[in-house]
Amino acid sequence: MSDTPVLELRALTAGYDRRAPAVRNASLTVASGEAVGLLGPSGCGKSTLARVAALLHRPDSGALLLDGEPVRHWRHRAPRAQRTAVGVVFQQPRLSADPRLRLSDLIAEPLRATGRSQEIPERLAELTAGVGLTPDLLGRRPHEVSDGQLQRACLARALVLRPRLLICDEMTAMLDASTTAALVAAVEDYRATTGAGLLAVGHDRTLLDRWCDRTVHWDDVTAGVLSAPGAV
Amino acid sequence: MTERTPVLSVRGLSVRFLMPGGRRVAAVTDAHFDVAPGECLALIGESGCGKSVLASALLGLLPANAQSAGSARLGDLDLLTADERTLGRTVRGRLIGLVPQSPAAHLTPVRTIRSQLEETVAALTGARGRAAVRAAARAAADRVAFPAGHLDRHPHELSGGLAQRAATALALVGDAPLLLADEPTTGLDRDLVDRTVDELRRHVDAGPDAADGNGPGRGLLMITHDLAAAERIADRVAVMYAGRIVELTDARGFFGSPGPRHPYGRGLLRALPDRAFTPIPGMPPELGDLPTGCAFAPRCDLATDACATLPPVTGGLACHHPVTEDARV
Ligand SMILES: Nc1ncnc2c1ncn2[C@@H]1O[C@H](COP(=O)(O)OP(=O)(O)OP(=O)(O)O)[C@@H](O)[C@H]1O
Ligand code: SF4
Ligand SMILES: [Mg+2]
């Protein structure tokens, strides 16, 4: 493990209307290999912060660093090395999965998009077992599987490029207890073998406390008091 | 509680979907349960196990390719054989109040909460005349502590919690003896879950004809995958697996001591983050391709050869080898 944090947010402000930003002055650090839970109530802006950290939403001000490197561009303009370093899973698999793709293509798509198609068979085999899917499900489209099965596929997709940082935004909010425990176990297996960091965003304190090395509250993240792990 | 005439009495309810190519999906199989006035029955289970199909069957909202069997009695009426006119005019809203899964999606987006409440009041109650309808709509909002200052807002201008209250207010307007809540807390944070569930409980203990505070109360069938919410509100729990109710029991004993007696219920509770946090291995079976024996057998560490035959329901439990030791020791 290196000393450089895998993720660092410094005084980050972001939203959809500059006069009323959803995230104000947020600061947060995820050390290399660390699992941090970010706890906050509905509508507080957690998902917006997660989208900024996943390079999907450009902040209005502040700094975002991945492995110590400042991020200067977001979305399709982000450099490939930074984009592929972060994997992200959202709350609603039905909204984030292309309904036309078979699960195998859904999972493999990031490999195709980065010109690494030759790795597909091997990664598919590893990940299918890793997230608890069965090979017969890979040929189905999203409407032919349950929410839990689709979310397993979305997790596999987020892991397919072996990200150094995984962001889970309410990954299990729609799921039953057993599927939740199974998905968390899959994330933790991945982290145990790769040393990847995790930012798990949610509103279930019991879950985040059990899952993560530490849990930070939204109010503290946006009050400018938190930075390094253990510090405060 | 058992001596009281149930609000809802479901016997042998089964629903099959006929799929292209002649495939049959067994979404609900042979469900038996009652809901008493003043009682909350929580129907729990994994996603896709048939919970919502069961609710749709009760509301007469099954799609055209569904076939149902059995009976679901609400007073003198069998919900499964009632015609659409009866269902539309006397069941939905008047006999069954539906608290929907996604209140934001259930409310009409282009109309204010006040106008939706007034329309429902005019359709379902005796209130006549603008002033009376307006007052009754206001009272309906008060009943769920929906702030009067937000009545003229549109659904997208409400937080998740207020949208949930607006939807609950609509469900209560008709003073229906049975409330049916389908995943009413999905996507809400824990505080909102607790508040929503406590409000529902209040409406179970009050009404529909409990103006004097001594009425029998409403029955509530709450469908949920949120075990913490179920524990908070339910008197009894029905555990559904692969379309069957495999355990029907007292909530206190289920969540506390002695714990679930069906291995599947045990597994669900063990998966909770404040318990062992270990998943049940594997995934639920395909409802279109169920085994002839116990559907849980491939995931069950107690399975034996006996489990290749379907376990009958005895004493609210469908298992050849029920767990006997206390979950809490
Ligand atoms: N695309 C968008 N356009 C405009 N406003 C948005 C958009 N996405 C989110 N918002 C608003 O930004 C605020 C924060 O939203 P966000 O989704 O980040 O909250 P959250 O903490 O994740 O909430 P929840 O737990 O309910 O999902 C909310 O007021 C929301 O309505
Ligand atoms: S019937 Fe057998 S396989 Fe099914 S739950 Fe009981 S012990 Fe397990
Ligand atoms: Mg969110």
Side-chain angles (χ1 to χ4, degrees):
Chain A
M1 270 185 216
S2 74
D3 293 342
T4 314
V6 63
L7 173 72
E8 204 177 342
L9 310 181
R10 293 187 191 150
L12 207 115
T13 292
Y16 312 91
D17 174 354
R18 275 180 181 265
R19 287 160 303 177
V23 181
R24 240 181 248 269
N25 194 27
S27 297
L28 171 75
T29 301
V30 179
S32 167
E34 191 188 23
V36 175
L38 172 58
L39 186 71
S42 288
C44 72
K46 305 181 297 293
S47 296
T48 306
L49 183 146
R51 291 175 54 78
V52 172
L55 309 187
L56 296 172
H57 185 93
R58 189 185 175 83
D60 298 334
S61 64
L64 170 68
L65 290 82
L66 287 179
D67 286 316
E69 282 289 313
V71 173
R72 299 183 203 289
H73 300 287
W74 273 261
R75 302 178 62 87
H76 55 279
R77 294 184 57 225
R80 176 175 290 183
Q82 287 189 327
R83 247 189 298 147
T84 57
V86 187
V88 58
V89 190
F90 297 105
Q91 173 171 352
Q92 297 210 22
R94 306 249 162 237
L95 297 183
S96 47
D98 184 335
R100 294 162 303 182
L101 293 183
R102 296 178 193 283
L103 297 199
S104 55
D105 294 321
L106 190 82
I107 298 169
E109 199 269 335
L111 283 171
R112 269 197 195 103
T114 48
R116 292 160 59 182
S117 298
Q118 74 286 356
E119 296 173 45
I120 290 175
E122 186 202 330
R123 285 302 278 152
L124 259 187
E126 286 168 12
L127 285 165
T128 304
V131 300
L133 284 173
T134 49
D136 58 301
L137 294 172
L138 293 180
R140 300 206 195 162
R141 296 199 167 78
H143 71 271
E144 298 168 314
V145 300
S146 71
D147 285 350
Q149 290 166 339
L150 188 56
Q151 192 64 304
R152 287 175 198 257
C154 288
L155 174 60
R157 175 191 168 94
L159 299 179
V160 77
L161 296 178
R162 295 195 176 82
R164 289 191 302 286
L165 172 68
L166 185 66
I167 296 177
C168 298
D169 181 10
E170 304 264 20
M171 175 177 73
T172 61
M174 316 267 298
L175 304 176
D176 61 90
S178 179
T179 310
T180 296
L183 281 170
V184 168
V187 167
E188 289 310 299
D189 284 347
Y190 172 78
R191 294 194 336 102
T193 55
T194 60
L198 168 72
L199 179 64
V201 172
H203 46 54
D204 187 338
R205 176 179 282 283
T206 315
L207 173 65
L208 293 181
D209 281 349
R210 182 73 186 253
W211 181 1
C212 299
D213 300 319
R214 64 190 174 103
T215 305
V216 294
H217 196 277
W218 181 257
D219 293 342
D220 295 326
V221 167
T222 52
V225 297
L226 276 175
S227 54
V232 171
Chain B
M1 196 168 287
T2 39
E3 302 94 75
R4 263 187 267 161
T5 312
V7 187
L8 175 69
S9 199
V10 172
R11 294 290 174 271
L13 170 60
S14 295
V15 180
R16 299 283 174 270
F17 290 113
L18 306 176
M19 307 301 281
R23 219 159 57 88
R24 285 158 67 86
V25 172
V28 178
T29 302
D30 201 20
H32 288 256
F33 63 88
D34 288 341
V35 182
E39 180 191 47
C40 169
L41 174 66
L43 183 62
I44 63 174
E46 271 158 297
S47 110
C49 74
K51 304 187 296 290
S52 293
V53 173
L54 194 153
S56 302
L58 299 180
L59 292 164
L61 294 175
L62 288 173
N65 67 329
Q67 286 181 344
S68 56
S71 68
R73 298 215 145 266
L74 189 83
D76 300 330
L77 191 71
D78 183 354
L79 297 169
L80 299 186
T81 52
D83 55 70
E84 177 50 38
R85 190 183 148 90
T86 310
L87 290 164
R89 290 208 174 175
T90 67
V91 175
R92 297 193 284 264
R94 289 176 206 270
L95 291 174
I96 306 182
L98 177 69
V99 182
Q101 167 155 13
S102 165
H106 184 76
L107 300 164
T108 310
V110 294
R111 291 175 46 205
T112 65
I113 301 305
R114 187 192 305 279
S115 101
Q116 297 185 52
L117 273 173
E118 287 182 354
E119 181 192 62
T120 308
V121 161
L124 295 182
T125 73
R128 290 292 168 267
R130 266 204 76 190
V133 167
R134 198 174 167 86
R138 179 74 189 266
D142 284 348
R143 189 141 72 148
V144 297
F146 185 91
H150 287 55
L151 277 171
D152 293 312
R153 295 199 178 184
H154 291 87
H156 71 270
E157 297 168 311
L158 299 176
S159 71
L162 285 183
Q164 185 56 258
R165 279 190 209 180
T168 305
L170 285 167
L172 293 173
V173 164
D175 248 342
L178 180 69
L179 291 178
L180 203 167
D182 189 0
E183 300 279 6
T185 60
T186 297
L188 302 183
D189 64 45
R190 196 42 62 193
D191 288 346
L192 276 178
V193 168
D194 290 352
R195 262 194 280 155
T196 301
V197 154
D198 291 350
E199 261 167 35
L200 283 173
R201 183 74 234 185
R202 218 157 38 74
H203 300 301
V204 169
D205 296 334
D209 44 14
D212 57 342
N214 295 317
R218 293 185 176 82
L220 169 62
L221 177 60
M222 182 167 107
I223 295 174
T224 187
H225 68 257
D226 183 340
L227 298 175
E231 178 170 12
R232 197 171 172 101
I233 190 174
D235 299 299
R236 287 189 304 146
V237 180
V239 184
M240 201 161 184
Y241 189 75
R244 286 179 188 271
I245 294 177
V246 295
E247 184 166 9
L248 178 60
T249 188
D250 177 60
R252 200 181 297 187
F254 182 85
F255 290 108
S257 179
R261 298 195 60 215
H262 195 283
Y264 175 62
R266 286 271 155 148
L268 272 184
L269 291 194
R270 251 201 320 261
L272 286 170
D274 54 352
R275 302 201 186 193
F277 205 32
T278 46
I280 303 168
M283 283 184 295
E286 297 290 323
L287 296 178
D289 186 24
L290 289 176
T292 49
C294 174
F296 189 60
R299 307 173 75 186
C300 181
D301 51 15
L302 299 179
T304 64
D305 292 346
C307 306
T309 53
L310 193 67
V313 182
T314 26
L317 189 67
C319 175
H320 291 296
H321 310 293
V323 188
T324 46
E325 82 272 17
D326 195 310
R328 290 289 195 179
V329 293

